[in-house]
Each structure stands twice: as structure tokens, then as C-alpha cells.
């Protein structure tokens, strides 16, 4: 490391008992100040490394957040005054001479206590002074550095792709930029570098990566911003297995670089298994509470609610205590998620120790059903059993959400539980207008054995087409996704057709890609994962805004710079634009 330290000789946070007697100069902000009478002040001085206490025996006017330069000598604190809560708590700097480099107005937000997020973002440059933000942004920087290292080591070439592009569909709206030189025409900002990275493969670059900025105009959430960074990668002459290997290596290396411990094994499960066991294509496997199929137990049931194609359940260990209000709340949630209701039973114990169900539905159930259900769900006295009876897809989905609601630990607990989900279907669903919804983007290669279903087309048959797409999931967050790509124009056209993109539109929007495939496109596959999400997981943060220096608020605004804002009429005119009265 370059040791040039400018105005200082040491950083505040690095001083300790070993430095006793050393003359030092530190620079930073006054974190707190305490005065004792007229002529004694204790200044806690803070820089990016931490805080050190400076004892000043002269009259000074150094208030909170003043920028100071302090020269003095390190000494051990007097007996009984050490502060074990502070890394430098054993020592202080004495005989201090204080130079005030810059005065500061009183802070508009408190730096030591929580404050409303809008205010934090309005004064983000002050908010960044907090230890939490300092730590998080440094974790993020380590993430970036480790990713680069791992990708370089695996022979990937860093290539920058443009920001002003034609639309790259990833399922969101585009942000568009009007062109001055081509009035009436617009660039899109990239939702991802997807098409360019595929063109790099046609271009013979073999292994591409980029820490890429992607922009998607969609509603913001805890794990979503308009713009985000992803590790974007693509490789030629490889399939899913190799990509999974490259990315696992990069993520493991990154996790180890930040936490000091390796990621451990990353299990691979199929999409079907994920939906079956967890009711989600991004299962949080930090906890159990797996979904258990009980349909067969109710094959000849008299209970109307269970006369359905699928009955599945979960066991809430120790859940028998759950109060009626909470159960009502959960029932309402299940209905919101699309279920007709929630069947629940408290589990007690008979005199001979067998589990006994207690719930309003018991009176409609046979003795055998009541006896086998807790067995199947491995429920014992003190537990709660919850069932959803419906179509299988819906039962899975609702139970998956219920499982999260009841069992999900906070982000900072339970360690990291990564897994790969493979064999996604090509289409996730058919929307109300009969259009299939792609599970990934339209450049994903269908499973070769299922091409027939694609050609025959239409409804349910489309839902049977498997794809060669895979996701990386950690703690219930979809960290990223990728796929083997189509590299043949004819297959690409079939997929476009299934998605309702006709030939003319395909030609207009993606003609360049189809043309490129004609000039010797190698088989290729790739992946991308969200760096904001990975950094947040590693920092133990629920919200990616905590690992982004200058994020937008939930409503997509930046209270600091007042973006988005109006544009001068002259500027609009130059762009050939006129605003419609709102
Ligand atoms: N382009 C995809 C995305 O941004 C990732 C990939 O398929 O490589 O989500």
C-alpha cells in the first residue's frame, strides 16, 4: 500500500497500546466533544478507520463535525478510564495541539441515532460518515475487487458495453434517452448487456465479463433499484455445468474475501423440486419447514375442503401456542395470495402419547385422516399444522409464502444458504390474454427434447417446455440467473413466435442478432448476478440501499440532487420534444 498520508502520520483507528510514546498527527472530524471546565476538552476524532480520544489542555472552539488536525503523543489512558467498547479505548492522544481545518454548521441530521430515510438520503454525504455506511461501502468495494480477481483468474476478459443502446428486453420497462442528432429517435439504457455479450461470443472473445450497470424501470423494493450493478458473464463452447462452476468459484472467492470463511458446498436442485419442497423458485434454505404433500391421505375424504387435486402442508414447530389473531392474519394473507382459506390444527397429545389434532375441521375428518396427518407432517405435541387445499401450483405458491412468513430469519442470522436452481421451465405462466410469460429472457435455449412442444405451441403445451436456465439463490434472494443461449436463428424465431413476437417485429428489434447467428455463432452460455444483493447479504443488510452510496428512494427520487427534475424548454426543443400538458 502507498504510505503517503498527507497531512497526517497515522489513522485514528489504528492506534493502540503498542504506540505508547509515539508522536502522531491525526486528521478527521470531531465525533463528540466533552469539556471539563474552561481548559480541558476531550475530543473524539473520527476518520474512516475509527475514533481516537484526544485530550486538549487549552481553550478551543472545536464543535461536532469540525474538521481538525491534531498533533500529540500517544499515551495509555489513566487507570480505570479505558473504554473497551472502542478499538482504541486503551489509549488517548495527549499534549494535543489542535488545528481547525474547517468549521461546520450544526448537523441537519443526527449522526449517532436513526433518522428518517428521506432525510438520510437528502444529506447522504453526511449519512456516509456513519460507521455503518463506511463499513458497507468498503464491503462492497471488496466484493467488486474479489469478483474481478476471480473472473480474471478464470480467463474472463473485462469488456465494457455501451449505455446508449437499442432495447434489451429483460422483462422491465426501458429508460429512454432522446437523441438530439436524430430527433424523434430514442436510445434505451441497457436493462442488461445481454445482446452485446452474445455478440462478443460471435466475435470470438471466448470469455467475457463486466461489472455492468443495468437500468430497469420497474417498481422499487428492498432488493430493487432502477439502476443496479451485476457481474455479467458469458462463455463460448461451454454449457450450464461450466457456467455454474465459474460463477460458484467467483461467488465463493468473494464470500471468502469478505467474511474470511468459504461459502461451502452449493447444492443444485431442479425447479420442480424447489417448487415442490419450498413452494418457491428461490427457496430460503436457512430453515426447514418444507412443504409436505398430503393429497393421498385425503383420497376418500368426506371433508369438502380436502376434495381437491392437491393438499399440502407445513408444520410450525412449537406453533400450537399461536394466538387466534395471528391465525386470522395468516388466513387473510393466504386468501390475498389466492387460496380459498387456510386449514390449521393445533397438535396435542393423547394419554398414550400419540399426537392429537385439534381444529375446526376435525369434525369432518375420519379418525384415520386425523391420525395419519400429523405422522406425515412429522408434527408432535405443541406444534401447529397448516394445510392448503387447491390446485398444485397455487397450493405450492401460497404455502411457500406462508413458510417465509412463519420461518424466515432476519438477513443477518442463519449464515449463507446458497443453492443453484436448474431446469427452469421456458415459460412460467400464461397470462390472462393467453400470452406465455418467459421465465428468463427470450434468448434462453429450450431443452432440446422439448422443441416439439414449442412448435405445436399454445397454452398448456408451452408450459411443458423446459429451458436450460439456472438461478443462483442465497437466503431466499434470487442473486442472479443465466442460461444456455439460443445460437440458431431458426430456434430463436420459434421462441419469438411463441412469445407473440411476429417475424416483422423480430426482424426490426433483433435482426442484428439473428443476422450475427448466421455468421458462425459458437454455442454459448452465461450468467449475471446482482452485486448490490450480494454486498447486502454480506453486510447483513435487508435493503440494498444500505450498500449503495447514492440510491434512490422508494419512489425513485433522489432527495439530494432533486432528480428527476424538469428540463429547460430550450433543451426540449433541441431534442425535438414538446411536453403534453399534464
Ligand atoms: N441478462 C440476464 C440478466 O440480466 C442474465 C443472463 O442471462 O446472463 O438477468
Amino acid at each position: 500500500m502507498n504510505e503517503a498520508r498527507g497531512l497526517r502520520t497515522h489513522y485514528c483507528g489504528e492506534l493502540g497500546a503498542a504506540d505508547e510514546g509515539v508522536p502522531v498527527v491525526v486528521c478527521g472530524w470531531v465525533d463528540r466533544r466533552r469539556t471539563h471546565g474552561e481548559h480541558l476538552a476531550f475530543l473524539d476524532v473520527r476518520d474512516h478507520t475509527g475514533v481516537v480520544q484526544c485530550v486538549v489542555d487549552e481553550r478551543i472552539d472545536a464543535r461536532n463535525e469540525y474538521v481538525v488536525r491534531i498533533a500529540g503523543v500517544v499515551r495509555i489512558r489513566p487507570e480505570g478510564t479505558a473504554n473497551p467498547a472502542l478499538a482504541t479505548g486503551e489509549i488517548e492522544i495527549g499534549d494535543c495541539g489542535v488545528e481547525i481545518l474547517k468549521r461546520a454548521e450544526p448537523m441537519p441530521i443526527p449522526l449517532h441515532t436513526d433518522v428518517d430515510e428521506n432525510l438520510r438520503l437528502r444529506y447522504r454525504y453526511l449519512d456516509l460518515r456513519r460507521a455503518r455506511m463506511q463499513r458497507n461501502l468498503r464491503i462492497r468495494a471488496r466484493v467488486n475487487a474479489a469478483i474481478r480477481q476471480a473472473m480474471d483468474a478464470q480467463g474472463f476478459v473485462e469488456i465494457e458495453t455501451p449505455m446508449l443502446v437499442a432495447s434489451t428486453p429483460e422483462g422491465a420497462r426501458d429508460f429512454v434517452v432522446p437523441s438530439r442528432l436524430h430527433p424523434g429517435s430514442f436510445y434505451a439504457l441497457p436493462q442488461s448487456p445481454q445482446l452485446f455479450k452474445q455478440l462478443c461470443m460471435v466475435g470470438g472473445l471466448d470469455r467475457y465479463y463486466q461489472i455492468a450497470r443495468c437500468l430497469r424501470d420497474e417498481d422499487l423494493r428492498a432488493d430493487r433499484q432502477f439502476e443496479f450493478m451485476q457481474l455479467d458473464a458469458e462463455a463460448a463452447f461451454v454449457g450450464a455445468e461450466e457456467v455454474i462452476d465459474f460463477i460458484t468459484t467467483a461467488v465463493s472467492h468473494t464470500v471468502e474475501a469478505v467474511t474470511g470463511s468459504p461459502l461451502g458446498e452449493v447444492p443444485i436442485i431442479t425447479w420442480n423440486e424447489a417448487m415442490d419442497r419450498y413452494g418457491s423458485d428461490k427457496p430460503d434454505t436457512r430453515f426447514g419447514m418444507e412443504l409436505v404433500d398430503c393429497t393421498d391421505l385425503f383420497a376418500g375424504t368426506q371433508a369438502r375442503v380436502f376434495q381437491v387435486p392437491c393438499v399440502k402442508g407445513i408444520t410450525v414447530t412449537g406453533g400450537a401456542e399461536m394466538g387466534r389473531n395471528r391465525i386470522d392474519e395468516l388466513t387473510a394473507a393466504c386468501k390475498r395470495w389466492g387460496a380459498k382459506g387456510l386449514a390449521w390444527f393445533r397438535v396435542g397429545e393423547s394419554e398414550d402419547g400419540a399426537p392429537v389434532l385439534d381444529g375446526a375441521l376435525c369434525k369432518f375428518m375420519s379418525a384415520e385422516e386425523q391420525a395419519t396427518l400429523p405422522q406425515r407432517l412429522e408434527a408432535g405435541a405443541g406444534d401447529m399444522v397448516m394445510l392448503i387445499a387447491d390446485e398444485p401450483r397455487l397450493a405450492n405458491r401460497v404455502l411457500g409464502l406462508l413458510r417465509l412468513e412463519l420461518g424466515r430469519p432476519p438477513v443477518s442470522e442463519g449464515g449463507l444458504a446458497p443453492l443453484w436452481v436448474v431446469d427452469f421451465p421456458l415459460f412460467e405462466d400464461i397470462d390472462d390474454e393467453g400470452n406465455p410469460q418467459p421465465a428468463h429472457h427470450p434468448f434462453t435455449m429450450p431443452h432440446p427434447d422439448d422443441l416439439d412442444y414449442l412448435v405445436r405451441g399454445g397454452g398448456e403445451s408451452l408450459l411443458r417446455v423446459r429451458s436450460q436456465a439456472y438461478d443462483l439463490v442465497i437466503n431466499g434472494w434470487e442473486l442472479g440467473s443465466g442460461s444456455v443461449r439460443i445460437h440458431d436463428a431458426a430456434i430463436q424465431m420459434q421462441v419469438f413466435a411463441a412469445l407473440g413476437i411476429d417475424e416483422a417485429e423480430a426482424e426490426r428489434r433483433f435482426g442484428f442478432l439473428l443476422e450475427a447467428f448466421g455468421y458462425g455463432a459458437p454455442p454459448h452460455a452465461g450468467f449475471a448476478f446482482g452485486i448490490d444483493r450480494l454486498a447486502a447479504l454480506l453486510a447483513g443488510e435487508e435493503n440494498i440501499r444500505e450498500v449503495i452510496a447514492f440510491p434512490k428512494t422508494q419512489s425513485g427520487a433522489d432527495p439530494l440532487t432533486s432528480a428527476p427534475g424538469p428540463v429547460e424548454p430550450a433543451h426540449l426543443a433541441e431534442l425535438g420534444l414538446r411536453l403534453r400538458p399534464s
Side-chain angles (χ1 to χ4, degrees):
M1 190 167 83
N2 185 338
E3 284 300 306
R5 287 182 174 191
L7 298 177
R8 57 204 156 177
T9 60
H10 289 77
Y11 296 122
C12 299
E14 69 183 1
L15 297 172
D19 299 301
E20 187 183 3
V22 176
V24 295
V25 182
V26 295
C27 290
W29 289 263
V30 175
D31 196 54
R32 293 171 203 264
R33 92 193 252 275
R34 297 174 302 281
T35 47
H36 287 266
E38 283 261 304
H39 293 294
L40 183 61
F42 292 92
L43 300 184
D44 285 346
V45 178
R46 182 192 72 237
D47 66 15
H48 64 288
T49 63
V51 170
V52 67
Q53 173 170 296
C54 303
V55 184
V56 187
D57 305 308
E58 59 181 322
R59 208 196 166 98
I60 44 141
D61 175 33
R63 309 194 179 192
N64 282 358
E65 300 305 314
Y66 275 29
V67 184
V68 292
R69 177 170 186 249
I70 294 187
V73 177
V74 178
R75 64 189 190 203
I76 305 292
R77 290 198 196 186
E79 186 92 32
T81 63
N83 176 2
L86 199 64
T88 61
E90 269 187 282
I91 56 106
E92 60 194 13
I93 303 179
D95 303 326
C96 289
V98 180
E99 184 185 343
I100 291 175
L101 298 178
K102 192 78 173 74
R103 291 173 203 283
E105 301 292 329
M107 289 297 112
I109 57 169
L111 297 190
H112 291 290
T113 50
D114 279 346
V115 61
D116 162 72
E117 197 190 31
N118 257 306
L119 271 177
R120 284 183 64 196
L121 294 183
R122 164 74 180 80
Y123 294 102
R124 187 58 152 185
Y125 48 87
L126 298 178
D127 189 54
L128 291 179
R129 291 184 188 171
R130 293 167 192 265
R132 175 187 186 180
M133 289 307 300
Q134 290 281 324
R135 173 177 158 274
N136 288 355
L137 292 180
R138 283 164 213 279
I139 286 178
R140 187 191 178 100
R142 281 216 295 285
V143 166
N144 279 328
I147 288 173
R148 285 213 161 83
Q149 233 173 24
M151 296 311 282
D152 284 345
Q154 297 185 97
F156 284 78
V157 186
E158 185 171 4
I159 292 167
E160 289 112 354
T161 53
M163 293 297 283
L164 296 173
V165 299
S167 177
T168 309
E170 293 281 0
R173 272 184 216 95
D174 284 324
F175 281 100
V176 294
V177 179
S179 160
R180 176 179 57 86
L181 295 179
H182 305 272
S185 290
F186 295 81
Y187 301 98
L189 298 175
Q191 291 186 35
S192 82
Q194 183 62 34
L195 301 177
F196 287 103
K197 68 177 173 176
Q198 292 192 241
L199 294 175
C200 285
M201 295 302 102
V202 180
L205 286 157
D206 200 64
R207 290 184 182 185
Y208 141 97
Y209 87 97
Q210 179 177 199
I211 292 187
R213 185 176 299 277
C214 301
L215 297 107
R216 298 181 191 177
D217 186 358
E218 51 194 348
D219 292 340
L220 305 191
R221 293 190 313 223
D223 63 353
R224 215 190 246 164
Q225 283 273 308
F226 286 151
E227 46 186 310
F228 59 92
M229 304 302 290
Q230 66 183 22
L231 166 69
D232 195 55
E234 196 76 12
F237 305 109
V238 299
E241 241 174 77
E242 290 84 359
V243 174
I244 286 177
D245 201 52
F246 295 140
I247 299 297
T248 304
T249 301
V251 174
S252 301
H253 177 75
T254 304
V255 168
E256 189 161 359
V258 174
T259 66
S261 9
L263 185 59
E265 173 146 20
V266 186
I268 301 182
I269 70 172
T270 65
W271 182 85
N272 273 326
E273 191 182 341
M275 297 309 286
D276 230 43
R277 287 172 56 191
Y278 303 101
S280 166
D281 58 4
K282 41 177 190 291
D284 189 338
T285 52
R286 284 176 300 166
F287 65 103
M289 214 189 276
E290 291 191 21
L291 282 47
V292 179
D293 193 353
C294 305
T295 315
D296 59 306
L297 303 183
F298 295 100
T301 191
Q302 299 297 312
R304 275 276 180 74
V305 275
F306 298 134
Q307 295 170 354
V308 290
C310 175
V311 182
K312 283 184 92 162
I314 53 175
T315 298
V316 188
T317 308
E321 304 281 293
M322 202 182 292
R324 198 47 210 255
N325 279 351
R326 176 71 173 140
I327 297 175
D328 288 346
E329 228 173 71
L330 294 171
T331 306
C334 289
K335 288 184 177 162
R336 264 201 323 278
W337 297 327
K340 290 180 202 70
L342 171 67
W344 54 274
F345 305 89
R346 297 197 166 97
V347 186
E349 204 170 26
S350 71
E351 273 169 21
D352 54 4
V356 177
L357 293 187
D358 173 22
L361 288 169
C362 284
K363 60 176 179 286
F364 303 111
M365 291 161 63
S366 70
E368 196 189 338
E369 286 164 356
Q370 293 192 43
T372 49
L373 187 63
Q375 274 170 24
R376 174 68 59 86
L377 283 153
E378 295 178 13
D383 295 344
M384 164 81 87
V385 160
M386 296 185 148
L387 303 179
I388 296 285
D390 216 298
E391 297 294 327
R393 286 168 84 88
L394 194 122
N396 277 339
R397 200 166 55 81
V398 173
L399 272 179
L401 292 168
L402 190 63
R403 175 181 174 269
L404 288 179
E405 175 70 29
L406 287 164
R408 182 166 205 190
V411 69
S412 53
E413 286 170 23
L416 293 179
L419 81 162
W420 284 97
V421 180
V422 301
D423 292 348
F424 268 70
L426 194 63
F427 305 108
E428 221 154 28
D429 219 342
I430 310 275
D431 72 11
D432 295 342
E433 275 125 50
N435 296 318
Q437 300 300 301
H440 203 48
H441 48 59
F443 312 104
T444 298
M445 182 76 105
H447 195 290
D449 296 347
D450 294 349
L451 283 174
D452 252 10
Y453 296 125
L454 193 60
V455 183
R456 271 190 266 136
E460 287 301 313
S461 134
L462 283 180
L463 291 182
R464 290 167 70 167
V465 184
R466 284 165 297 168
S467 79
Q468 300 187 55
Y470 33 81
D471 274 10
L472 177 61
V473 177
I474 301 187
N475 296 7
W477 278 12
E478 180 198 317
L479 200 60
S481 47
S483 57
V484 174
R485 321 299 186 186
I486 298 168
H487 64 287
D488 178 272
I491 299 178
Q492 187 65 75
M493 288 305 280
Q494 280 169 17
V495 171
F496 283 152
L499 288 172
I501 301 177
D502 66 27
E503 238 173 272
E505 187 185 350
E507 197 47 52
R508 178 174 60 75
R509 291 176 61 192
F510 308 113
F512 62 95
L513 182 72
L514 297 163
E515 184 185 20
F517 286 164
Y519 296 117
H524 57 284
F527 195 77
F529 71 74
I531 288 173
D532 311 272
R533 289 182 187 179
L534 182 57
L537 280 173
L538 294 175
E541 293 286 3
E542 296 277 2
N543 196 312
I544 61 170
R545 294 199 286 269
E546 300 298 344
V547 296
I548 298 174
F550 298 102
K552 305 279 186 290
T553 60
Q554 193 79 19
S555 69
D558 176 5
L560 171 57
T561 63
S562 301
V567 169
E568 291 299 320
H571 191 176
L572 280 179
E574 197 174 39
L575 293 167
L577 297 178
R578 199 169 55 228
L579 291 182
R580 287 213 320 223
S582 54

